[in-house]
Each structure stands twice: as structure tokens, then as C-alpha cells.
Amino acid sequence: MPESPAIPAPTLRRLPEYLGVLLDREAAGEAWISSEAIGQSLGFGAVQVRKDLAALGAPGSPRRGYPVSATILRLREYPGTGGGSDAFLVGAGNLGRALLEDPGIVRHGFRIAGVFDLSPDRVDRILGGRKVLPLGALPDLVRRTGCRLAVLAVDPDQAGAASLALVRAGITGMLDLTGSACPFPRTLIVRRIGIGAGLAALAGELEAREREKNLDGFPRQT
Amino acid sequence: MPESPAIPAPTLRRLPEYLGVLLDREAAGEAWISSEAIGQSLGFGAVQVRKDLAALGAPGSPRRGYPVSATILRLREYPGTGGGSDAFLVGAGNLGRALLEDPGIVRHGFRIAGVFDLSPDRVDRILGGRKVLPLGALPDLVRRTGCRLAVLAVDPDQAGAASLALVRAGITGMLDLTGSACPFPRTLIVRRIGIGAGLAALAGELEAREREKNLDGFPRQT
DNA sequence: AATTGTGAACTCGTTCACAGCG
DNA sequence: CGCTGTGAACGAGTTCACAATT
């Protein structure tokens, strides 16, 4: 029976970040790290960290903290979050090229299993040492490799067509970097990451924080 | 007095996404859109959409929905979320180049105000039609332009040094794309977007959903 | 009749306080 | 003593149910 009675989604989203911190620590030669230190690195509280690691089942040791290497192992052991799976890259433009060299993907244990594009003039080119394949080749590869993840990095106006093809090919999880918002079937789990939207949210938060400060610190005229 | 009694952060993060949907609709020539339709495009409930738009102060009309153009205006009007501000780009590698062409940034009303890098051999090169400047030139530009936002897209091992320089230069909001987790001073608002971490979270969610399905749909032997 | 608008209930994650342990 | 582990309290955000509108 699974010892993990469903880890809550917010926790799930933080686990990979913990992995990042721990890898840094390991590289620095440290053997132990406290929840306090982990929290400080990421901007959340120590209790949060403990709760999350407890949910994972990663034990710490009083007075010393969490064992760096063992905890990394534990994080990697959790299916999905630790990586080990591969993902297809759809979109062979500049963004796609950048992703092929992104150390973050490797660091989290993922590998780009293949590069695809819709545009005929991009197909067959070499990008980052990989031959770009037509989307038509995807269904077969999904079947043969069992890989169900894809990163969508095409132009926004191609997002709809591409995602439709992905679903048809049997992809079940998609990381959408296009910033375009088209409706997807519920069978496909979509996670959206938009640089533009991210900037906007950041700017909004900044604005909010500033306003708040002005209000209860220095109430000034309209 | 501000008519916005602090919009909650989760809402703030969704507003830019609404903008995306509405722009699509406007391009399609539609004049009205229902909360239901907006929700469907983004994967959340209709009530959520209504609550968010209400928080913004964007009125809808019973029986017809929300006026597309007017709502876009209203979204843009909200300081920050609607864009209009600029942002500096720090990191002139492949990822940086991709960002310079990212339609999502423009779509949300942002502009890259300048490109910077730490590495001397990247400085003075031309990237996407922009001359890459040394980080040393940043403080002066921050002062002159009033722009306080930066996108960090350097190599992960330079993230610490770069972010320190950003703080010193007077940057108050940073969108961190490096996936590296170094501690930042509390004065700097950081929003992290990691492709690797995103993939991992997605894979985790996928795994969780699958397990859940197996459990209460088709309980099979250990 | 369809869709917005919203007070109230509820759910879920975070925070608190402190017990447990090395 | 310092740090983990966790049950309980709290609070924020989401969902529900229904009134209001055209």
C-alpha cells in the first residue's frame, strides 16, 4: 500500500525547490542542514519546511537537522518530483534551444526525450545536437518510450494546434510556456508558466506592497 | 483613497491570465464573454472568475457576461498587473535571447528596458538588436529610468552574485528564472519560475492523480 | 432564462505552541 | 539546550446557494 496518503499540491510544488537547496548544500560539502536554513534560502518558514519533509517521510535528526544526502535520495525517490522521467520538447525556436541547455531540467532529473515542431521548415534541422522531428512522429514515440510529459514552447498562435496533437498522441501532462490560454480537455493536466504573466504578477505584488507600506506607515494625501 | 482594499495575492496572480484570454477574444472579434467561458479556458471555476473580476472592480452585465474591451482596459488600468512598466533583463545567454523575442512579455504590456550580463565576454555584444551592458551600468539606469523590475536569466552559478548586484542597484522586484535557490534580502520581492521545478511538480501531480484514480476506481493488488 | 454578484459555509494550508528527543 | 515532530488553532481563499438583474 502506498505510504503517501496524497501529498497536498502546494507541498508538491515546493519539493523540487528543496531538492535545489539540498543539491547546493551537497556541492558545498555540508552533511546536515536545518529546516531554518532551508526556509531562509527559499523565503518560507521553518515549520513549513518541516511539515513538507514530514509529508514526504524524510526524517530529520534533532540537534543536527536533516541529512543532506539521504534527504536528496528521498526526494528523488518520490515518483515524479524526483525526476527520472523524460519529457518531449515541442517547439524548436529560441526558447526551445534555451531549454535544451537549461541546467535546471537536468538538475531535477529530467531529460529531453525528443524535439518536435509543427513548422515544416524547422523540421529536420539540428537544434542543440538534436534532430527536430515532425509532430506526426510523436504518437509512435509516446507508445514506444512510455513518456507522457511534454514541454510546450511553440509560438502562442500555434499553441492550440500543438496541444491538440499532443493529446491525440497520448500525452497526459503538459508544461505550457506559451502564455496562451486555450481550453484543454480535462484528461490533460496542464501547468502554465508565462514569463509575461509572471512579470505582471510580480509588478502587481510590488505595487500592492508599496501601497500597503504607504498606508499604514505614512498615510499621505490622495 | 484607493478603491482597492488589497487584492489577495492568488487573485493577483490570475489577473494577467484573464488578460490573456480576453485579448484572444478581442482578436476573435467577440464583444462579450461569460465567466464560465473564461474559466473553461484557464481551468478554474466560473465563480472564481467572477470573484476575481469583482475584486478588481470590473463589472459584468447579467445575461451577457463581461464586456471584452472594457474589461481589458480595466485590467490594464490596475497598476502593475496591466503592465506599462519596463523590466531589465540580466543574462545574455540563450534564455535571454529567447526572452527578448517573447511575445508574452509584450502582450502583457512590458518592455525590456536593457540587457545586462556579468561575463565580460558577453558584454558589448549585440543580442536581439540590443547592446549588452555590464552590470556596473545598472545603478545609474535604475536611477534615471525609475524602473525597478528585473528578470534574472543568468547561469545558476552566477545567480547569487547577480542578485546581490541587483539589490545594490536598487531593484525591488525580481523574476528569477535560474532555478537556483540563494537567500535574498527581504527588501527584494522574488518570484521564482523554474522550468525544471515546474516539470517536477507536474510529474508529481500526474503521479498523484494516477495513483488516486487507481485507488478509488480500480483498487488493484499491491 | 441565463448570467452576474455576494454573504455564508467550508475546506485546506499555514502558523502556533509545545511535547519529544538526541 | 537546539532542533525536529505534530496536534490544535487560525485564517485565507474557494465553493456553495441564492438573490438580483436584464
Side-chain angles (χ1 to χ4, degrees), chain A residues 193-213:
Chain A
I193 291 185
I195 311 293
L199 256 179
L202 178 65
E205 247 170 275
L206 208 71
E207 187 69 32
R209 166 125 14 153
E210 213 143 282
R211 175 171 317 189
E212 174 182 304
K213 210 170 258 171

Side-chain angles (χ1 to χ4, degrees), chain B residues 197-210:
Chain B
L199 257 178
L202 177 65
E205 248 171 273
L206 208 71
E207 187 69 32
R209 165 124 16 153
E210 214 143 282

